Amino acid sequence: MTRRRSGYLAAAALAALALWGAVTGMDSRPLHAENAPGAFDFYVLSLSWSPTYCAGEGRSRGGMQCAGPKPYGFVAHGLWPQNERGFPSECRAGGDPSRAVVDGVLDIMPSPGLVRHQWRKHGTCSGLGPEAFFKLTRKAYERVRVPDAFVGLERPLTLSPAEVERAFIAANPGLKPSMIAVDCDGRRLREVRVCMARGDLGFRPCAEVDRRSCRAGEVTLPPMRGQ
């Protein structure tokens, strides 16, 4: 095959692909460069119900979250860069956050290992340095008000995922059902995930995240330790 003919074939293939996109309404180009730091659409703040973690996989790990003197309710699992379809992860190699940065966020992410893991998997995709990323994580965490019904929980609380969402929506003006999702392990609530704009951390819709919400009829929140 001559070089000129192969060039013609390549051009024809590209034209056919463009025509297919025009007919179907689908864009054949990637939405973002794969795993490029800073190339994403929005953030997901993942709030983990600590008693569920400590009753399951965290039980054998102990640590300050599950065996320390302070009982925890909703803690920050992480602030995740997210795309409308999929999400980037582990975007670049680099060192862990400094000890000062880790210590500075332990009140809302009570596990040094979790802080470092979240930086490697998600923080490296933010386009920020470790200090700025965890400052933003705190800002996002403080942006969401936890409903009073879940503060200092003394007894197991069972309700539907929709009721959990409605409680958060009522406590956070501007939050809508399309902007929040509940995650469960089938019978216990694991996380509440809130979608936020990149710039001002305002609440925003996130269809893919919302579609993955817990489908159980009811979920239980185990009580906080020592309550």
Side-chain angles (χ1 to χ4, degrees), residues 8 56 117 218:
Y8 287 152
H117 172 75
E218 290 183 334

Side-chain angles (χ1 to χ4, degrees), residues 30-103:
L31 290 177
H32 300 284
E34 185 176 1
N35 286 352
F40 62 96
D41 295 322
F42 60 95
Y43 285 110
V44 174
L45 174 68
S46 180
L47 297 173
S48 172
W49 182 245
S50 180
T52 295
Y53 170 77
C54 292
E57 61 181 299
R59 178 179 298 178
S60 61
R61 298 183 183 182
M64 63 183 297
Q65 181 174 183
C66 300
K70 179 181 177 180
Y72 291 94
F74 278 108
V75 299
H77 181 173
L79 184 66
W80 304 339
Q82 185 84 17
N83 294 322
E84 299 295 350
R85 298 196 301 269
F87 59 91
S89 66
E90 298 178 343
C91 290
R92 61 178 171 83
D96 284 343
S98 69
R99 175 69 179 270
V101 168
V102 173
D103 288 348

Side-chain angles (χ1 to χ4, degrees), residues 191-213:
E191 297 187 349
V192 172
R193 295 170 181 169
V194 180
C195 300
M196 297 177 155
R198 289 186 56 163
D200 61 358
L201 296 179
F203 304 131
R204 56 98 77 195
C206 46
E208 185 177 73
V209 175
D210 186 48
R211 283 196 300 269
R212 294 178 178 175
S213 193

